């Protein structure tokens, strides 16, 4: 008999058998240590774990199954692969993949598991555990971006259509816990609050927001919905297109005290980049 593998918010600490407290579950639901993987990358993540951390996968299987039968390691891995990467899930683009961090959902070492069997077996920090089993939602892989320095400036809070997220200082954050729903064909109000190491002397930063409306995997300059510079909170409105493809796409926010760039892939100097999942209804 198979036991439930994850608690309600898909949070797990399988390697240490730690059940997350309610506050941590809520924190994880807007997890900043997450990753937006494609189906191919999720398949690569499992292959990398098989190569580098097969014992951890076996331990996850053993904690999720109630059996007195002797099952080989190969069979355990096969069953996990079928559960997370079944042919039906691949066809739907909705496969599962593990992400890792401290049990408090922080990633102080900025460590990431591999996304391909060809990736080297990097050493996982000893205090790290599997913190979430995510589901692939994006069709495309997007360019990476992050700041060179986030000590003095970062993105502290965003609000949009009833969704709100607050965070600490990071060079890059992928907010994986919720898909933000935007209404097709009407204006949307949004605010972005920059964070400063010395709030009494706020930095003058450039703020840009892109949304990949056509879901082609490229956040072009024509898809930039906001661009301005200020030393205080940014409040603005943008129009959501009426005709957009079904599915989930990416919204990228970049703050840069160095001026930034209209190119969503060009690395920023002083600030933060945050990516969010968005769908249009």
């Amino acid at each position: 008999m198979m036991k439930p593998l994850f608690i309600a918010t898909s949070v797990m600490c399988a390697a240490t058998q730690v059940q997350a407290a309610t506050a941590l579950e809520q924190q994880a639901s807007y997890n900043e240590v997450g990753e937006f993987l494609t189906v191919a990358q999720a398949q690569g993540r499992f292959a990398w774990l098989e190569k580098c951390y097969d014992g951890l996968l076996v331990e996850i299987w053993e904690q999720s199954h109630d059996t007195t039968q002797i099952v080989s390691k190969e069979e355990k891995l096969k069953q996990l692969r079928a559960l997370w990467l079944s042919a039906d899930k691949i066809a739907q683009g909705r496969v599962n993949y593990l992400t890792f961090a401290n049990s408090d959902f922080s990633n102080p070492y900025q460590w990431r598991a591999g996304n391909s069997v060809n990736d080297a077996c990097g050493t996982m920090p000893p205090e790290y555990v599997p913190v979430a089993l995510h589901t692939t939602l994006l069709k495309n892989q997007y360019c990476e971006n992050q700041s060179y320095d986030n000590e003095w400036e970062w993105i502290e809070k965003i609000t949009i259509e009833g969704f709100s997220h607050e965070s600490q200082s990071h060079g890059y954050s992928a907010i994986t816990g919720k898909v933000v729903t935007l209404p097709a064909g009407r204006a949307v109000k949004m605010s972005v609050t920059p964070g400063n190491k010395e709030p009494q002397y706020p930095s003058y930063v450039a703020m840009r927001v892109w949304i990949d409306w056509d879901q082609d995997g490229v956040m072009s300059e024509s898809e930039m919905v906001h661009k301005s510079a200020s030393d205080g909170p940014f409040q603005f409105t943008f129009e959501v297109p009426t005709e957009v493809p079904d599915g989930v796409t990416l919204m990228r926010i970049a703050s840069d005290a160095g001026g930034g760039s209209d190119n969503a892939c060009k690395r920023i100097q002083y600030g933060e980049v945050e990516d969010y999942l968005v769908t249009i209804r």
Side-chain angles (χ1 to χ4, degrees):
M1 183 180 73
M2 185 173 181
K3 298 184 292 187
L5 182 57
F6 304 104
I7 55 180
T9 55
S10 294
V11 177
M12 72 173 190
C13 297
T16 58
Q17 300 183 348
V18 175
Q19 292 295 322
T22 302
L24 289 180
E25 291 173 23
Q26 179 62 26
Q27 181 180 347
S29 69
Y30 303 108
N31 185 341
E32 294 166 27
V33 301
E35 303 161 279
F36 299 133
L37 301 189
T38 64
V39 170
Q41 288 175 316
Q43 291 174 297
R45 170 66 53 86
F46 192 91
W48 183 87
L49 288 169
E50 276 189 300
K51 179 181 77 169
C52 304
Y53 287 94
D54 59 344
L56 184 146
L57 291 176
V58 167
E59 192 169 352
I60 290 173
W61 183 94
E62 290 174 347
Q63 293 192 20
S64 63
H65 289 72
D66 183 10
T67 179
T68 58
Q69 298 179 346
I70 297 176
V71 180
S72 68
K73 179 183 75 173
E74 291 72 21
E75 180 61 25
K76 293 173 182 176
L77 297 178
K78 179 181 177 182
Q79 289 182 18
L80 275 185
R81 190 185 307 108
L83 180 64
W84 297 347
L85 303 170
S86 69
D88 288 343
K89 287 185 175 182
I90 292 173
Q92 296 169 7
R94 297 289 187 270
V95 301
N96 303 118
Y97 60 95
L98 288 173
T99 58
F100 300 83
N102 278 341
S103 56
D104 65 355
F105 308 105
S106 64
N107 186 9
Y109 303 112
Q110 296 300 300
W111 185 87
R112 292 283 185 267
N115 295 335
S116 167
V117 70
N118 297 320
D119 291 342
C121 292
T123 303
M124 185 188 303
E127 64 270 37
Y128 275 34
V129 294
V131 292
L133 183 72
H134 287 299
T135 301
T136 54
L137 294 174
L138 295 174
K139 303 173 184 176
N140 302 293
Q141 180 181 357
Y142 286 85
C143 62
E144 296 181 356
N145 198 347
Q146 66 180 47
S147 66
Y148 286 104
D149 189 331
N150 60 289
E151 180 182 359
W152 292 86
E153 299 91 10
W154 59 90
I155 297 171
E156 187 168 280
K157 181 180 180 180
I158 78 132
T159 61
I160 179 172
E161 283 299 297
F163 170 82
S164 179
H165 177 74
E166 296 185 45
S167 62
Q168 301 299 315
S169 175
H170 305 283
Y172 170 76
S173 297
I175 315 303
T176 58
K178 181 176 181 178
V179 178
V180 182
T181 301
L182 301 181
R186 76 169 176 85
V188 167
K189 293 181 179 180
M190 183 172 179
S191 68
V192 182
T193 303
N196 291 275
K197 186 175 182 178
E198 297 185 0
Q200 66 273 31
Y201 303 110
S203 302
Y204 195 79
V205 301
M207 191 71 64
R208 290 173 174 84
V209 181
W210 300 263
I211 299 179
D212 182 21
W213 298 121
D214 59 10
Q215 299 183 29
D216 66 349
V218 177
M219 288 169 287
S220 63
E221 291 186 24
S222 64
E223 293 176 311
M224 186 165 54
V225 300
H226 180 75
K227 173 185 176 180
S228 67
S230 172
D231 61 357
F234 296 80
Q235 296 182 342
F236 51 92
T237 302
F238 62 86
E239 297 289 334
V240 179
T242 301
E243 299 295 331
V244 294
D246 291 335
V248 176
T249 192
L250 196 76
M251 175 175 70
R252 173 163 292 176
I253 307 171
S255 68
D256 191 354
S261 171
D262 292 349
N263 181 347
C265 298
K266 186 175 181 180
R267 192 167 179 181
I268 65 173
Q269 294 293 325
Y270 311 105
E272 184 177 8
V273 177
E274 291 188 346
D275 284 344
Y276 292 81
L277 296 171
V278 170
T279 190
I280 316 301
R281 292 287 185 266

